[in-house]
Amino acid sequence: MTRQSSKSVIGTKAFAAITAVEGLTLSVESKSRLANLKAKGLNNDERRAEIIRAYRAAR
């Protein structure tokens, strides 16, 4: 069985709505980090790399 990857991307508001239904919320630190990354004008891949780096460093 193969899995096809979807090229769809949901926006911030849609993602927040989905996670709220699941009972998940972002910490103040995570919200701040995301706002800073967005303000820097990083593209999606760069933001993803920065988020991964932040969580790897926290271990």
Side-chain angles (χ1 to χ4, degrees):
M1 184 161 47
T2 62
R3 182 177 175 185
Q4 294 179 344
S5 65
S6 174
K7 298 281 181 173
S8 300
V9 176
I10 62 172
T12 304
K13 289 181 183 179
F15 183 73
I18 292 168
T19 56
V21 168
E22 298 294 329
L24 305 172
T25 58
L26 288 176
S27 67
V28 173
E29 181 180 321
S30 292
K31 287 180 185 179
S32 175
R33 179 182 301 115
L34 291 173
N36 288 336
L37 294 175
K38 189 173 183 178
K40 288 181 181 179
L42 301 178
N43 68 35
N44 291 335
D45 290 332
E46 293 167 332
R47 279 193 300 234
R48 186 177 304 111
E50 288 295 323
I51 292 168
I52 291 169
R53 190 175 300 120
Y55 283 97
R56 280 189 181 152
R59 288 185 176 187

